Structure formats: structure tokens, C-alpha cells
Amino acid sequence: MRAHIGAEGAVTMTETGTDSGGGPPALQPWLRRPARLAYAVVEALADRIVAGHFPPGSALPIEPELCETFGVSRTTIREAVKALEAKGLVRARQGSGTTITPQEDWNLLDPVVLAATFQHDDQLVVLDQLVGVRSALESQMAAQAAVLATEDDLRAIEALLVRLDTETTAPYSFIETDLVFHGRIMEASRNRLASSIVRSVHTQARTTSLYSGAPDVRACELANVEHRQLMECLLARDPKGAAQAMTSHIEDAWQRRRSPAGRRPTE
């Protein structure tokens, strides 16, 4: 396994082979020493745990081995292990080492855990769950926005819809404006807690192509038809209609991205 260093010292580990015993690949040192050492170690180990290379109930490599692998001090490793424990990924006990916890104990709202989970969600199980959560919360917020949105809110949302109309032929620009469009509706709902939850999980989901798919012009056009139906409900002050329009849009858009055609790599 090799470590690739991304933005802000982020580390992703890729496999280079298996050990002679047929077990999981051995940990390998990273190619370049990151600046934020403990955080980088946490990301690397969290990725390994979530990927199943260290299954629940198994032991994390001992401290001297981790120090040698990552080229860091015991203090750094201890800091990293404490962070992993806070995320629910491991349990450290004096005299018995550090073991991987059951998946039910993992804190999926933690950004590192969530990002790793999405990256390894090949069967789209967690992403399906995410869409369900997002649909439930955003439909509620759409209903609230239909009642609570000010005239300024509605004008701002409508302006974004007009902008989206002009960007259907530029899918990647469309995606970014779409994010702002949904965010503006959440803001108009005045539901700060639901908005915060959606933003947190959605931000992490968008980092993986398993969720984002390969956008195309047709998908953008269909999405904007759904956006317009939602806008009409907001302007009509129809909370039930707005909720249903938002639910249909989120779920239909996900099914388009979820299909093999929707997830094809871009040319």
C-alpha cells in the first residue's frame, strides 16, 4: 500500500501487494512526509479500517510498528490513536492493546469516517441511506420554505433557477449552482439544524464519484424541470407540494446518477 498526499496533508493508501500469508497488505510508509502528522496518520488508518483491512475485533498494529511505518514519534501515534478512539473506530485498553470496534460504533457523522465510508461504499448501501436522509430533511425544509420564505428569499431562489437554465449545457458549472440553489432553499426554511446536517453529509458525499456520477446535459435538463416544479410550489406557498417536489427531485436525480450509465467515467 502506498500513501498519496493530497490537499492539507490528506493521505490515501493504495495497495501494492499482499503479504506471504495471504492476509491484508502490510502497511507501507508514505512517499512524502506530510505536515500535519497525527491527522495524516488518522486518515490513513481510518481508510484501512473502513476498507476492512483491519476487521472489527482485530488488533491495530502495535505502537513501535506504527512509529516505524509512518516515521513518526510515539507521541504522534498516541495522539492519532486517541483521535481514532474518539471517532469510534478503535478501543484502546491498557495491557490489551488497541482493537477495531464493530461498525455500529463508528461515528458516521465524523468527516474522516464518513469520507472513508463513502470512498469504499462500492455497493452504494450507505449512499442510498444518505439520499434517504437528505430527501427527508430537504423535503421538510422545502415545506418550511414555502411558508417562511421572504419575498427576497424567493427572488434569490428564482434568480438561481434562471442561472441554472443557462448552465444546462455546462454540467460542471450546473452542479455548483445546483448546490447553491438547494442551499438557498434550506436557508429560506430557517431550519439551521437540518441544514447543518445535510451540508455536512452532502459535502463528504460529493467527494466521491460513486455519488456525483458523470453529469451530462440531459441529466441537467431533467434536473431543472424538477427545479422549476419545486419553484412553482414555493411561489404558490404550497408546503405539501414543495415537499413532494423536493422528494421526487432528490430521489429521481439519485437514480439517474446511480444507474451504470449515470456512473460512467467522463471522456
Side-chain angles (χ1 to χ4, degrees):
M1 183 176 65
R2 293 181 179 175
H4 301 278
I5 314 302
E8 297 186 1
V11 178
T12 57
M13 311 295 279
T14 57
E15 308 307 331
T16 58
T18 57
D19 64 21
S20 58
L27 281 169
Q28 298 294 330
W30 36 49
L31 301 177
R32 179 165 62 85
R33 186 180 177 89
R36 301 167 63 192
L37 290 174
Y39 184 81
V41 171
V42 168
E43 282 197 321
L45 291 176
D47 183 79
R48 290 276 284 181
I49 292 168
V50 172
H53 297 305
F54 298 132
S58 68
L60 198 67
I62 59 175
E63 195 173 273
E65 181 181 341
L66 293 175
C67 290
E68 182 178 356
T69 295
F70 294 111
V72 298
S73 67
R74 288 187 176 229
T75 299
T76 297
I77 292 300
R78 288 168 187 167
E79 182 182 345
V81 170
K82 285 181 181 178
L84 291 172
E85 193 167 23
K87 298 174 190 302
L89 294 173
V90 303
R91 183 176 296 109
R93 290 182 177 173
Q94 189 70 28
S96 58
T98 302
T99 57
I100 312 305
T101 56
Q103 291 184 359
E104 292 74 19
D105 292 349
W106 299 355
N107 178 11
L108 286 182
L109 292 182
D110 179 273
V112 172
V113 180
L114 191 61
T117 300
F118 287 149
Q119 290 294 335
H120 296 289
D121 188 27
D122 294 338
Q123 301 303 311
L124 307 182
V125 173
V126 179
L127 286 171
D128 282 338
Q129 294 171 356
L130 161 72
V131 172
V133 169
R134 185 183 166 209
S135 176
L137 291 176
E138 285 205 48
S139 63
Q140 178 188 0
M141 285 187 281
Q144 292 168 334
V147 175
L148 299 175
T150 65
E151 291 303 314
D152 285 345
D153 288 329
L154 294 175
R155 280 193 292 271
I157 296 167
E158 200 163 20
L160 287 166
L161 182 57
V162 171
R163 180 174 159 189
L164 285 166
D165 282 332
T166 69
E167 293 179 341
T168 54
T169 56
Y172 288 96
S173 295
F174 183 94
I175 288 173
E176 296 306 315
T177 304
D178 174 76
L179 187 65
V180 180
F181 176 81
H182 281 264
R184 196 63 182 80
I185 293 172
M186 290 191 288
E187 182 181 338
S189 76
R190 308 296 186 260
N191 191 331
R192 293 171 56 202
L193 178 59
S195 178
S196 179
I197 293 171
V198 170
R199 289 179 192 278
S200 175
V201 297
H202 195 227
T203 296
Q204 294 301 327
R206 291 180 71 241
T207 65
T208 172
S209 61
L210 292 173
Y211 180 77
S212 300
D216 57 30
V217 172
R218 181 56 179 160
C220 294
E221 291 172 343
L222 290 171
N224 230 30
V225 169
E226 295 159 0
H227 288 156
R228 193 159 295 282
Q229 292 170 344
L230 172 58
M231 188 74 238
E232 290 171 357
C233 292
L234 293 176
L235 292 171
R237 301 291 184 175
D238 177 5
K240 184 176 180 181
Q244 183 56 55
M246 181 65 86
T247 296
S248 297
H249 166 53
I250 290 175
E251 294 180 356
D252 290 350
W254 169 235
Q255 288 306 316
R256 289 192 290 270
R257 298 196 306 277
R258 197 185 193 283
S259 69
R263 289 190 283 123
R264 70 187 185 282
T266 55
E267 296 297 332

